[in-house]
Amino acid sequence: MTLNHKDKVIDKWRTENSADFGYFDTVENMLEIFWTEGGDFRKRFDTMDLTSVVEIACGKGRHAAQIVERCGNLVLVDTSRDAIDFARKRFRDKRNVRCHHSEDGESLAFIPTGSASAVFSYDAMVHFEPVTIYAYLRETCRVLKPGGRAFFHHSNYSKQPDQDFSLAPSWRNYMTSDLFRHFTHRAGLELLDHKVIAWDVPDSDALSLLTKPLL
Protein backbone atom coordinates (compact mmCIF):
# COMPACT_ATOMS: atom_id res chain seq x y z
CA MET A 1 0.00 0.00 0.00
CA THR A 2 1.30 3.45 -0.92
CA LEU A 3 1.22 5.86 2.01
CA ASN A 4 0.07 9.45 1.59
CA HIS A 5 2.39 12.24 2.70
CA LYS A 6 0.82 12.58 6.14
CA ASP A 7 1.08 8.85 6.84
CA LYS A 8 4.68 8.80 5.64
CA VAL A 9 5.46 11.15 8.50
CA ILE A 10 3.51 9.07 11.02
CA ASP A 11 5.08 5.85 9.79
CA LYS A 12 8.57 6.95 10.85
CA TRP A 13 7.55 6.56 14.53
CA ARG A 14 4.38 4.43 14.35
CA THR A 15 5.63 1.41 16.36
CA GLU A 16 8.79 0.35 18.14
CA ASN A 17 9.85 -1.38 14.90
CA SER A 18 9.56 1.83 12.86
CA ALA A 19 12.51 3.52 11.18
CA ASP A 20 13.15 6.25 13.75
CA PHE A 21 11.44 4.99 16.91
CA GLY A 22 14.83 4.95 18.63
CA TYR A 23 14.86 8.76 18.43
CA PHE A 24 12.64 8.89 21.51
CA ASP A 25 15.40 7.31 23.60
CA THR A 26 18.17 9.31 21.92
CA VAL A 27 16.60 12.64 22.91
CA GLU A 28 15.13 11.65 26.28
CA ASN A 29 17.59 13.89 28.11
CA MET A 30 17.92 16.55 25.41
CA LEU A 31 15.94 19.09 27.37
CA GLU A 32 18.13 22.14 27.94
CA ILE A 33 17.06 24.08 24.86
CA PHE A 34 13.40 23.62 25.77
CA TRP A 35 13.36 24.06 29.55
CA THR A 36 16.23 26.38 30.51
CA GLU A 37 14.70 29.29 32.39
CA GLY A 38 14.79 32.47 30.32
CA GLY A 39 15.38 30.58 27.06
CA ASP A 40 13.33 31.16 23.91
CA PHE A 41 11.09 28.17 24.61
CA ARG A 42 10.70 28.49 28.38
CA LYS A 43 9.88 32.18 28.56
CA ARG A 44 7.04 31.74 26.08
CA PHE A 45 5.78 28.52 27.64
CA ASP A 46 5.63 30.22 31.03
CA THR A 47 3.03 32.71 29.75
CA MET A 48 0.45 29.92 29.49
CA ASP A 49 -2.16 28.88 32.04
CA LEU A 50 -1.42 25.25 33.00
CA THR A 51 -4.83 24.47 34.46
CA SER A 52 -5.66 22.09 31.61
CA VAL A 53 -2.85 21.33 29.15
CA VAL A 54 -2.75 19.35 25.91
CA GLU A 55 0.54 18.17 24.40
CA ILE A 56 0.42 17.18 20.73
CA ALA A 57 2.96 14.53 19.67
CA CYS A 58 4.19 13.79 23.18
CA GLY A 59 6.32 10.77 22.23
CA LYS A 60 7.30 8.87 25.37
CA GLY A 61 6.57 11.89 27.55
CA ARG A 62 9.94 13.58 28.04
CA HIS A 63 8.43 17.08 27.95
CA ALA A 64 5.38 16.08 29.97
CA ALA A 65 7.73 14.90 32.72
CA GLN A 66 9.01 18.47 33.05
CA ILE A 67 5.57 19.94 33.76
CA VAL A 68 3.38 17.18 35.17
CA GLU A 69 3.66 18.50 38.73
CA ARG A 70 2.73 22.01 37.59
CA CYS A 71 -0.40 21.07 35.60
CA GLY A 72 -3.94 20.70 36.80
CA ASN A 73 -4.81 18.24 34.04
CA LEU A 74 -2.45 17.04 31.32
CA VAL A 75 -3.65 15.31 28.15
CA LEU A 76 -0.95 13.59 26.07
CA VAL A 77 -1.52 12.77 22.40
CA ASP A 78 0.60 10.84 19.91
CA THR A 79 0.18 8.89 16.67
CA SER A 80 2.66 6.25 17.84
CA ARG A 81 0.79 3.50 19.65
CA ASP A 82 3.96 2.14 21.27
CA ALA A 83 5.16 5.58 22.38
CA ILE A 84 1.81 6.48 23.93
CA ASP A 85 1.72 3.10 25.68
CA PHE A 86 5.11 3.93 27.18
CA ALA A 87 3.84 7.35 28.29
CA ARG A 88 0.77 5.72 29.80
CA LYS A 89 2.98 3.47 31.92
CA ARG A 90 5.37 6.31 32.73
CA PHE A 91 2.59 8.41 34.23
CA ARG A 92 0.38 5.62 35.59
CA ASP A 93 0.68 7.03 39.12
CA LYS A 94 -0.26 10.56 38.04
CA ARG A 95 -4.00 11.02 38.41
CA ASN A 96 -3.93 14.28 36.45
CA VAL A 97 -2.58 12.66 33.24
CA ARG A 98 -4.57 11.08 30.39
CA CYS A 99 -2.93 9.53 27.33
CA HIS A 100 -4.59 9.16 23.92
CA HIS A 101 -3.48 7.40 20.77
CA SER A 102 -4.40 9.54 17.75
CA GLU A 103 -5.62 7.29 14.96
CA ASP A 104 -5.81 9.94 12.25
CA GLY A 105 -2.88 12.15 13.20
CA GLU A 106 -4.74 15.41 12.78
CA SER A 107 -7.69 15.64 15.17
CA LEU A 108 -8.29 15.93 18.92
CA ALA A 109 -11.81 14.53 18.84
CA PHE A 110 -11.42 12.92 22.28
CA ILE A 111 -10.89 16.35 23.92
CA PRO A 112 -14.03 18.36 24.74
CA THR A 113 -14.58 21.72 23.08
CA GLY A 114 -13.38 24.67 25.16
CA SER A 115 -11.79 22.49 27.82
CA ALA A 116 -8.07 23.35 27.49
CA SER A 117 -6.23 26.36 28.86
CA ALA A 118 -3.05 25.55 26.91
CA VAL A 119 -1.87 23.44 23.96
CA PHE A 120 1.75 22.88 22.97
CA SER A 121 4.03 20.77 20.79
CA TYR A 122 7.84 20.53 20.80
CA ASP A 123 10.26 18.82 18.41
CA ALA A 124 7.50 17.17 16.36
CA MET A 125 5.48 19.66 14.34
CA VAL A 126 8.70 20.47 12.49
CA HIS A 127 8.07 17.23 10.57
CA PHE A 128 4.34 17.69 9.91
CA GLU A 129 2.79 18.26 6.51
CA PRO A 130 1.40 21.82 6.16
CA VAL A 131 -2.15 20.46 5.80
CA THR A 132 -1.66 18.53 9.06
CA ILE A 133 -0.54 21.68 10.83
CA TYR A 134 -3.64 23.51 9.63
CA ALA A 135 -5.85 20.66 10.86
CA TYR A 136 -4.23 20.80 14.30
CA LEU A 137 -4.56 24.58 14.43
CA ARG A 138 -8.30 24.28 13.78
CA GLU A 139 -8.57 21.63 16.49
CA THR A 140 -6.51 23.78 18.84
CA CYS A 141 -8.96 26.63 18.37
CA ARG A 142 -11.84 24.27 19.12
CA VAL A 143 -10.41 22.76 22.32
CA LEU A 144 -9.01 25.99 23.78
CA LYS A 145 -11.01 28.14 26.15
CA PRO A 146 -11.40 31.78 25.04
CA GLY A 147 -8.20 33.48 26.12
CA GLY A 148 -6.32 30.17 26.19
CA ARG A 149 -2.92 29.94 24.55
CA ALA A 150 -0.99 27.56 22.32
CA PHE A 151 2.75 27.35 21.77
CA PHE A 152 4.14 25.49 18.78
CA HIS A 153 7.66 24.65 17.65
CA HIS A 154 7.37 24.23 13.88
CA SER A 155 9.41 24.22 10.70
CA ASN A 156 10.46 27.34 8.85
CA TYR A 157 12.12 25.38 6.04
CA SER A 158 10.98 27.09 2.84
CA LYS A 159 13.04 25.22 0.26
CA GLN A 160 11.88 22.48 -2.09
CA PRO A 161 8.18 22.31 -1.14
CA ASP A 162 7.67 19.18 -3.27
CA GLN A 163 10.47 17.26 -1.57
CA ASP A 164 9.95 14.33 0.79
CA PHE A 165 10.47 15.73 4.30
CA SER A 166 13.02 13.04 5.19
CA LEU A 167 15.39 14.44 2.54
CA ALA A 168 15.50 17.90 4.12
CA PRO A 169 17.92 18.97 6.89
CA SER A 170 16.82 17.42 10.21
CA TRP A 171 13.69 16.16 8.43
CA ARG A 172 12.12 19.62 8.39
CA ASN A 173 8.92 19.67 6.36
CA TYR A 174 7.94 22.60 4.18
CA MET A 175 6.62 25.62 6.08
CA THR A 176 7.14 29.38 6.13
CA SER A 177 6.39 32.04 8.72
CA ASP A 178 3.88 33.70 6.39
CA LEU A 179 2.08 30.42 5.73
CA PHE A 180 1.91 29.58 9.42
CA ARG A 181 0.52 33.05 10.16
CA HIS A 182 -2.08 32.56 7.41
CA PHE A 183 -3.11 29.17 8.81
CA THR A 184 -3.30 30.67 12.32
CA HIS A 185 -5.81 33.32 11.33
CA ARG A 186 -7.84 31.01 9.09
CA ALA A 187 -8.13 28.61 12.04
CA GLY A 188 -9.60 31.38 14.23
CA LEU A 189 -6.52 32.02 16.37
CA GLU A 190 -4.35 35.11 16.89
CA LEU A 191 -0.56 35.18 16.69
CA LEU A 192 0.91 36.81 19.79
CA ASP A 193 4.58 36.18 19.19
CA HIS A 194 6.74 34.55 16.52
CA LYS A 195 10.48 33.94 16.41
CA VAL A 196 12.61 32.21 13.79
CA ILE A 197 15.46 30.15 15.25
CA ALA A 198 18.25 27.91 13.99
CA TRP A 199 18.42 24.16 14.52
CA ASP A 200 21.01 22.40 12.38
CA VAL A 201 20.80 25.12 9.75
CA PRO A 202 20.01 28.87 10.03
CA ASP A 203 16.34 29.88 10.18
CA SER A 204 15.12 26.26 9.90
CA ASP A 205 12.68 26.41 12.83
CA ALA A 206 10.21 28.81 14.38
CA LEU A 207 8.36 29.35 17.65
CA SER A 208 4.78 30.65 17.55
CA LEU A 209 2.71 31.70 20.55
CA LEU A 210 -1.02 31.89 19.78
CA THR A 211 -4.22 32.71 21.59
CA LYS A 212 -7.92 32.05 21.11
CA PRO A 213 -9.73 35.39 21.09
CA LEU A 214 -12.04 36.25 23.97
CA LEU A 215 -15.72 36.06 23.17
Side-chain angles (χ1 to χ4, degrees):
M1 180 180 67
T2 301
L3 298 176
N4 61 35
H5 292 292
K6 182 191 75 173
D7 284 339
K8 282 183 179 179
V9 177
I10 294 172
D11 203 48
K12 296 291 187 182
W13 298 272
R14 193 183 300 272
T15 70
E16 63 182 1
N17 297 318
S18 296
D20 207 46
F21 192 83
Y23 181 77
F24 294 127
D25 292 331
T26 301
V27 299
E28 174 66 26
N29 295 312
M30 193 187 82
L31 298 165
E32 184 176 1
I33 188 174
F34 302 101
W35 298 107
T36 296
E37 191 168 353
D40 286 331
F41 284 80
R42 180 66 183 272
K43 67 185 179 183
R44 290 169 174 81
F45 184 90
D46 284 347
T47 68
M48 298 197 295
D49 174 3
L50 303 186
T51 301
S52 182
V53 182
V54 177
E55 182 183 2
I56 297 171
C58 67
K60 289 186 173 183
R62 64 175 170 134
H63 296 300
Q66 307 306 305
I67 61 170
V68 62
E69 302 297 341
R70 299 168 55 196
C71 296
N73 294 305
L74 178 57
V75 179
L76 305 181
V77 182
D78 205 278
T79 57
S80 172
R81 186 178 298 279
D82 288 344
I84 204 68
D85 281 349
F86 184 96
R88 191 173 286 114
K89 293 172 184 175
R90 182 177 195 162
F91 299 111
R92 60 182 176 272
D93 296 328
K94 302 297 183 182
R95 298 185 64 182
N96 63 326
V97 178
R98 291 185 292 123
C99 299
H100 291 278
H101 175 239
S102 173
E103 295 284 353
D104 63 10
E106 62 183 18
S107 71
L108 303 170
F110 35 79
I111 300 176
T113 297
S115 63
S117 61
V119 180
F120 81 104
S121 184
Y122 285 173
D123 200 23
M125 195 172 278
V126 289
H127 309 303
F128 292 1
E129 283 290 302
V131 291
T132 304
I133 290 177
Y134 180 57
Y136 272 128
L137 287 171
R138 291 183 64 184
E139 279 290 82
T140 294
C141 185
R142 181 185 66 79
V143 304
L144 276 178
K145 302 174 181 178
R149 292 189 173 189
F151 182 38
F152 295 129
H153 168 213
H154 59 88
S155 175
N156 188 55
Y157 185 72
S158 61
K159 299 177 181 178
Q160 298 172 294
D162 297 328
Q163 178 176 264
D164 186 295
F165 84 104
S166 64
L167 300 177
S170 297
W171 289 9
R172 266 39 184 174
N173 215 323
Y174 175 75
M175 178 53 63
T176 68
S177 293
D178 285 345
L179 184 56
F180 192 91
R181 183 187 298 271
H182 176 75
F183 284 169
T184 294
H185 287 283
R186 288 293 187 266
L189 298 164
E190 293 180 1
L191 185 65
L192 296 176
D193 182 73
H194 177 82
K195 182 173 183 177
V196 173
I197 63 172
W199 203 260
D200 290 340
V201 296
D203 300 339
S204 63
D205 293 24
L207 308 178
S208 292
L209 181 66
L210 319 174
T211 189
K212 181 175 179 176
L214 295 170
L215 297 177

